[in-house]
Amino acid sequence: MPHARFTHLLNQQRSYLPPEHGKSSAWICGEEDYTAICRQALEDPQDFWNARASLLLHWFKRWDRVLEADEVNHKYRWFTGGKLNAAFNCIDRHLISGRRNKAALIWQGEDDMAKRCYTYQMLYTEVCRMAHALSSLHIRKGDQVALYMPMIPELVIAMLACARIGAVHTAIFSGYAEGGVRSRIQDARARVVITADGAIRAGKVKPLKANLDPILEKCPSVAHVVVVRHAGIENVNMKGRRDIWWHDLVDDFTLNADFPCEAMDANDPLFLLHTSGSTGKPTGIMHSTGGYLTYAAHSTQWCFDMRDDDVYWCTADMGWITGHTYGVYGPLALGATTIMFEGVPTYPKPDRYWRIVENFRVNILYTAPTVIRSLMREGEAWTERYEHNSLRILATVGEPINPEAWHWFHKHIGDSELPIVDTWWQTETGGAIISPMPYATRLKPGSACKPLPGIDAAVLPSPAQDGEDGDGAGHLVIRKPWPGMMLGVFNDEAKYQSYFSRFGCYESGDGARVDEDGYFWILGRIDDSINVSGHRLSTVEVEAVLTSCPDIAEAAVVPMPHLLKGEGIYAYVLTRDEVPWSDALRKSLRDAVRRDIGPLASPEYIQFVEAMPKTSSGKIIRRMLRKIAANALEELGDTTALANPQALPAIIRGHQNLLQGLPESAPAEEGGEVFAGGSE
Ligand code: WT7
């Protein structure tokens, strides 16, 4: 059940009223407004979503039914019979609405001098050319296209070109390494992969294309690889007929070559995005065109109070769901200006974010608590050098924001008055589910506040009371369908059904508590996922890499509290007979994880053990290992059920030695690395 470590958040006393200035012109202009809309939306959800979908999007053909629900199989199809195209909604319609020459996408490269700006017209031109190009590679409606790309405009262009054709894009975060990339391309059965020669990160170049080559040998579905020249890598190995440079490919298509938008069914998939599940295999979450886009536009408008002249910056990598919904689809559907930043918050200096805010006069800044913590550590002097009075709304996502970081952000960036919108949601939910409305909600630091209008979220006790819930904590579920809800899990119906098996409605996998004011406090994952810097990782996946090393017999991976990352990874490993414990082995294990999954999954600590604590049926009791890693020995609980209770004292001793850096116990050198902003 929910981890106890966030319970201190529940006792926060202070709350903050929404700003008065700007309230009257806000989309949701006060608490009464919010309450009235919520009541109305829950009384007649179909009427509510019907109105939102009509208002926010352009449909080639109106839907026959707002919702077709198959309650037995938990299939919810929104706006059935409706036809639309996401690229048309994000670009074409703005060309005739007075936004033709408005900045759609502003790109800031890692090099401060590297900036690019696309107006809606320019974006249209490039997206059409790329759509032609993909089409020339025989990509058709329904085909999968994998995007393994750095944070460059071509990534957005590729997404929208796929949407235009009706191809399903599947972004793979560029920080993933071999195993992570391979399993995603294979699961998606991608026909084309779009990548770049390299990604630039904190002054270093990571060779994406070269990393991809060996992976592709095991991905028979891939017919072509399109490569963007970006990082200046020389001698990129381009394989015969398979590999094509992006610039050569689009060169064949003239600038005025319109590519007509495919009229997509509301329930045709728009994209596929993998998330780490509770099993080792990544879960391919599928999102629809109509419902998803409605929800993206809807939640962007209300959570960020998005107005037409806003410059909006979502710092997440476009390779994650946050980048999809709030970096691309939501803001562009609303005709806003969205900023894309290639670099990291602290390179070359910890002033990058504030420079960008001042430079582009950012109005809305959406980032992650882990970024705030890492910048907080660098001190206020960096923030004080820059003007940030353009800012109107601050927002966070990915993990609970600890009150210390909240207050720092509020004081130093928000001048003690800007609202902080803490949005709780998941890859599966498509968009924000629980979040303040900036001009309506009284804020309690550390709480994501209340569900969005139309969302029926609740906290339910475990069906079989495990006696650990206590204090009103339970499972966070969503009882009614909403348009942003995933369409399904790609090629894994059983996995999709598992979200509904326990409660008969959508189960998030998070623990939460609702306080006396109806505010939700998220307590963290209940399943075997770890939230590192706001990124969901599967413990099973990390364990699989460790046990694939010939020296390792068993591995158990658990979360540990981490000052910057929120949670870090703690691995217990049992070596095979005769294999001596050594720092060299530790390093090689850590390298294996970095190589296979990516640096994000690198364990903070690797502890060698003589035996794992086990039940009589031989199952490792991870709950106890979790308590030890968290240094919460008093919460170890009943250890009598252990088949081998004698294993525990040695594990506890080993843990303490490791923390104190006693021989053979060097902590991770990578321990301080922050994967901020969703960028790695
Ligand atoms: C998990 C979803 C949604 C975008 C980023 C991650 C945690 C997310 C919050 C928040 C507390 C949060 C949850 C959730 N989470 N936002 N505001 N407060 N926890 O997407 O990879 O699908 O991970 O992130 O545990 O289940 P994701």
Side-chain angles (χ1 to χ4, degrees):
M1 268 312 299
H3 312 207
R5 64 183 180 283
F6 292 124
T7 45
H8 64 282
L9 296 178
L10 308 180
N11 304 323
Q12 284 302 306
Q13 296 302 322
R14 225 174 133 197
S15 64
Y16 295 80
L17 291 172
E20 281 306 317
H21 182 72
K23 203 171 189 171
S24 57
S25 54
W27 289 104
I28 307 290
C29 53
E31 192 158 6
E32 283 164 20
D33 195 21
Y34 165 80
T35 314
I37 295 173
C38 283
R39 191 176 325 112
Q40 182 205 340
L42 284 182
E43 262 165 26
D44 192 346
Q46 299 210 15
D47 185 56
F48 176 74
W49 293 118
N50 188 57
R52 293 301 283 162
S54 313
L55 190 73
L56 291 165
L57 301 184
H58 175 89
W59 298 78
F60 298 140
K61 177 180 169 285
R62 207 183 155 78
W63 49 93
D64 305 319
R65 292 181 62 185
V66 177
L67 173 66
E68 272 180 39
D70 168 355
E71 299 286 356
V72 177
N73 297 302
H74 312 291
K75 294 283 159 62
Y76 303 97
R77 298 294 174 252
W78 289 89
F79 312 115
T80 52
K83 297 263 186 203
L84 78 166
N85 184 286
F88 187 94
N89 276 283
C90 289
I91 309 175
D92 300 40
R93 63 174 172 151
H94 304 311
L95 302 180
I96 49 167
S97 70
R99 298 189 181 100
R100 193 160 73 91
N101 288 321
K102 174 178 177 176
L105 177 67
I106 295 175
W107 177 77
Q108 170 67 63
E110 174 158 288
D111 172 2
D112 191 45
M113 299 297 280
K115 301 177 208 289
R116 271 150 80 183
C117 179
Y118 291 79
T119 63
Y120 276 95
Q121 178 66 59
M122 291 160 81
L123 195 58
Y124 170 83
T125 303
E126 294 310 320
V127 167
C128 281
R129 291 174 89 198
M130 195 55 202
H132 275 294
L134 286 173
S135 177
S136 74
L137 299 178
H138 308 290
I139 290 297
R140 304 277 175 267
K141 177 179 173 181
D143 288 341
Q144 281 81 244
V145 176
L147 312 175
Y148 180 51
M149 301 172 76
M151 280 284 274
I152 52 176
E154 285 81 356
L155 172 51
V156 177
I157 292 166
M159 287 166 83
L160 293 166
C162 288
R164 205 167 181 90
I165 296 180
V168 179
H169 58 72
T170 171
I172 301 169
F173 172 51
S174 63
Y176 277 126
E178 190 179 338
V181 179
R182 189 184 53 234
S183 58
R184 283 164 174 79
I185 296 178
Q186 285 175 344
D187 185 62
R189 298 184 200 135
R191 291 173 48 85
V192 165
V193 182
I194 308 183
T195 189
D197 54 350
I200 303 171
R201 213 189 134 70
K204 292 192 209 110
V205 172
K206 173 177 173 176
L208 290 188
K209 170 64 168 64
N211 286 355
L212 197 59
D213 281 333
I215 295 172
L216 290 177
E217 282 166 25
K218 297 180 196 115
C219 299
S221 63
V222 177
H224 292 290
V225 180
V226 180
V227 188
V228 180
R229 199 195 288 285
H230 171 65
I233 297 182
E234 283 171 24
N235 303 325
V236 176
N237 174 33
M238 298 293 278
K239 189 177 153 194
R241 260 177 257 167
R242 189 193 68 183
D243 301 349
I244 313 139
W245 288 105
W246 172 295
H247 55 269
D248 285 340
L249 191 62
V250 294
D251 201 36
D252 288 342
F253 302 96
T254 61
L255 293 174
N256 60 9
D258 172 63
F259 189 98
C261 287
E262 185 75 34
M264 301 298 283
D265 237 57
N267 288 290
D268 279 335
L270 175 61
F271 65 82
L272 184 62
L273 192 60
H274 287 86
T275 179
S276 300
S278 43
T279 62
K281 183 174 158 281
T283 310
I285 305 295
M286 249 189 314
H287 278 291
S288 70
T289 306
Y292 169 81
L293 199 63
T294 300
Y295 201 75
H298 159 78
S299 54
T300 305
Q301 189 180 61
W302 284 4
C303 293
F304 307 123
D305 189 50
M306 187 82 85
R307 298 179 201 167
D308 219 48
D309 52 356
D310 277 328
V311 173
Y312 160 83
W313 180 23
C314 164
T315 67
D317 193 287
M318 303 298 187
W320 305 104
I321 189 72
T322 310
H324 282 52
T325 306
Y326 297 116
V328 180
Y329 286 112
L332 295 183
L334 295 176
T337 298
T338 186
I339 292 185
M340 182 179 203
F341 172 46
E342 177 186 27
V344 297
T346 47
Y347 181 87
K349 297 204 188 83
D351 64 349
R352 290 312 298 276
Y353 273 34
W354 320 126
R355 272 185 92 87
I356 293 172
V357 166
E358 178 178 298
N359 196 184
F360 301 110
R361 299 289 191 275
V362 173
N363 303 112
I364 303 168
L365 174 64
Y366 188 28
T367 190
T370 187
V371 173
I372 298 168
R373 289 192 296 267
S374 74
L375 293 175
M376 193 168 115
R377 190 175 62 163
E378 305 286 346
E380 294 74 80
W382 295 105
T383 72
E384 286 158 6
R385 287 188 197 180
Y386 299 92
E387 275 303 346
H388 50 253
N389 56 7
S390 57
L391 287 170
R392 188 163 71 81
I393 289 167
L394 306 176
T396 65
V397 64
E399 50 173 324
I401 176 165
N402 51 310
E404 198 191 354
W406 196 99
H407 285 109
W408 187 86
F409 200 33
H410 190 244
K411 179 165 177 212
H412 296 288
I413 309 302
D415 292 333
S416 300
E417 58 181 24
L418 297 189
I420 299 180
V421 178
D422 173 359
T423 59
W424 177 87
W425 58 295
Q426 308 177 293
T427 307
E428 294 87 337
T429 70
I433 291 290
I434 302 177
S435 159
M437 304 280 106
Y439 291 94
T441 311
R442 179 168 58 94
L443 301 174
K444 299 189 187 186
S447 166
C449 299
K450 295 185 181 186
L452 264 71
I455 296 295
D456 184 15
V459 172
L460 302 180
S462 303
Q465 268 294 346
D466 51 20
E468 282 188 61
D469 287 6
D471 210 16
H475 301 255
L476 178 54
V477 302
I478 308 169
R479 290 184 294 207
K480 284 199 179 72
W482 67 102
M485 181 179 189
M486 65 174 148
L487 202 54
V489 175
F490 193 65
N491 281 327
D492 197 344
E493 181 59 21
K495 175 71 201 181
Y496 178 76
Q497 292 301 331
S498 72
Y499 287 90
F500 302 88
S501 57
R502 202 179 336 206
F503 296 101
C505 62
Y506 176 81
E507 179 188 355
S508 69
D510 277 16
R513 184 181 160 268
V514 182
D515 72 12
E516 60 285 0
D517 297 324
Y519 279 55
F520 285 69
W521 298 82
I522 311 296
L523 303 170
R525 300 289 307 178
I526 292 171
D527 61 12
D528 290 331
S529 320
I530 301 189
N531 187 333
V532 179
S533 301
H535 301 312
R536 205 193 320 174
L537 291 170
S538 146
T539 53
V540 189
E541 223 172 321
V542 181
E543 286 170 6
V545 178
L546 296 172
T547 50
S548 70
C549 300
D551 289 341
I552 301 303
E554 286 181 68
V557 165
V558 298
M560 58 171 276
H562 190 285
L563 229 46
L564 286 176
K565 304 179 187 180
E567 285 184 352
I569 292 180
Y570 193 108
Y572 297 89
V573 294
L574 184 72
T575 52
R576 289 194 189 282
D577 297 341
E578 315 291 330
V579 175
W581 300 356
S582 70
D583 283 340
L585 177 55
R586 248 189 215 111
K587 180 170 183 317
S588 81
L589 292 174
R590 193 168 284 125
D591 286 347
V593 174
R594 294 173 77 92
R595 222 176 21 247
D596 200 44
I597 306 176
L600 179 63
S602 179
E604 307 297 327
Y605 292 100
I606 298 178
Q607 181 183 343
F608 295 113
V609 297
E610 283 160 36
M612 296 282 181
K614 290 195 174 171
T615 61
S616 49
S617 60
K619 272 183 74 173
I620 300 179
I621 309 184
R622 287 182 175 70
R623 184 177 57 79
M624 287 180 188
L625 293 174
R626 216 184 242 255
K627 296 291 180 199
I628 296 172
N631 248 337
L633 298 183
E634 67 291 353
E635 293 171 24
L636 268 182
D638 182 10
T639 55
T640 52
L642 278 180
N644 55 344
Q646 72 284 3
L648 274 187
I651 298 176
I652 294 170
R653 216 175 317 116
H655 166 73
Q656 282 158 354
N657 286 347
L658 195 58
L659 293 195
Q660 288 160 18
L662 292 178
E664 298 235 315
S665 317
E669 325 84 74
E670 295 87 349
E673 204 168 330
V674 177
F675 300 94
S679 37
E680 191 172 82

